[in-house]
Amino acid sequence: MKIGITGHTQGFGKSLYDVFNSQKHDTLGFSRSNGFDIGNELVRKKIINEIKDIDVFINNAYDPQGQIDILEEILSCWSGTEKIVVNVSSIIVHKESPYFEGEIAVYRESKIKLNNIIKNYNGSVKIINIIPGLMNTNFDIIPINFDRSNSIDTDALAELIYVMIKNHNNFFIKEIIVDNNGTFKSKI
C-alpha cells in the first residue's frame, strides 16, 4: 500500500507516518519542514501530482484553509476512483470558550467547513474523518494550561487508523470521534 501524509514530522502526523513506515508501506511525507506548505497553491499542485498513484492520502497538516483546499483538490483529482482519504480534523472550540479569539476563531470556522465538505461528499473516494479530542501533542489548538491528564495517546490512535485502512474492504467507518477521556466512537 502506498501512503501520502501531510504534517508528518511532528505530533499526530509523525505517529501516523511511523506506523505506516514500520509496516513497510511506501510512505511519502509532505510537511513544511521538507518544503511542502499546503497553504501554498503551487505546493498543493506539486503534492497532488506526486500522489496520483498512491492508495491512501492522510490530510493532517495544520493550515486552516490549506487543509480545506487540498481536500477539495484531491477529491476532484481522484473522482471516479476508490482511493481512501483520511482527514484529521479536530475538536471545535465553542464560541463561548474563554479561548475563542483570533487564530482559534479562524481555526474553528475552517473545521466546520472541512467537516461539512466531508459530511456532504457523495463520490467514490472513501473518506474517514478523524475527530480527535485532546491529544498528547504540543500542537493542540487548546491552550497549554488546559488539563491534559486525560489526553489521547497519539500512537494508539495512529495504530487504530492503520488497522481501519488495512481492513477497509471488510468494514468501513466514516468517522471516528475521540473524546477527552480517550473513548473512541465511530459512525458507519
Side-chain angles (χ1 to χ4, degrees):
M1 185 166 32
K2 197 168 185 179
I3 312 295
I5 179 172
T6 61
H8 76 289
T9 57
Q10 298 176 350
F12 185 46
K14 182 170 180 359
S15 293
L16 288 165
Y17 184 85
D18 290 348
V19 166
F20 284 97
N21 242 5
S22 71
Q23 298 296 323
K24 310 291 187 235
H25 294 288
D26 188 2
T27 310
L28 306 173
F30 305 99
S31 292
R32 287 184 185 131
S33 62
N34 65 348
F36 291 97
D37 179 356
I38 64 169
N40 180 306
E41 182 179 358
L42 295 175
V43 171
R44 285 194 311 273
K45 286 181 182 181
K46 185 176 179 183
I47 292 171
I48 288 170
N49 188 50
E50 290 193 32
I51 64 167
K52 285 185 179 177
D53 65 339
I54 69 167
D55 305 298
V56 178
F57 179 75
I58 302 172
N59 187 20
N60 172 67
Y62 173 76
D63 185 300
Q65 187 60 44
Q67 199 176 22
I68 292 168
D69 292 341
I70 200 163
L71 177 66
E72 290 179 325
E73 291 162 8
I74 288 170
L75 292 176
S76 174
C77 177
W78 284 2
S79 179
T81 71
E82 292 187 8
K83 296 184 181 200
I84 299 172
V85 171
V86 176
N87 185 72
V88 181
S89 192
S90 67
I91 57 174
I92 298 172
V93 177
H94 295 287
K95 287 184 177 180
E96 296 78 32
S97 167
Y99 308 115
F100 184 75
E101 57 186 44
E103 185 180 354
I104 293 175
V106 170
Y107 184 78
R108 178 186 186 279
E109 295 307 311
S110 74
K111 293 306 175 184
I112 290 170
K113 286 180 189 175
L114 193 62
N115 289 325
N116 283 336
I117 290 167
I118 292 165
K119 188 168 41 174
N120 296 320
Y121 177 75
N122 61 2
S124 62
V125 175
K126 292 180 179 178
I127 303 175
I128 301 171
N129 196 29
I130 309 299
I131 305 176
L134 185 64
M135 298 194 314
N136 58 357
T137 175
N138 294 327
F139 302 97
D140 293 321
I141 197 69
I142 303 297
I144 224 63
N145 63 354
F146 195 85
D147 178 14
R148 292 172 179 268
S149 60
N150 291 326
S151 66
I152 298 158
D153 180 352
T154 56
D155 292 337
L157 184 54
E159 288 283 345
L160 174 64
I161 293 167
Y162 172 74
V163 170
M164 287 177 61
I165 292 169
K166 183 179 169 192
N167 296 309
H168 78 275
N169 289 327
N170 298 328
F171 66 92
F172 181 67
I173 295 175
K174 178 86 172 173
E175 185 172 84
I176 294 179
I177 300 172
V178 187
D179 68 21
N180 289 349
N181 295 320
T183 304
F184 297 98
K185 302 172 189 171
S186 61
K187 296 180 182 178
I188 296 178

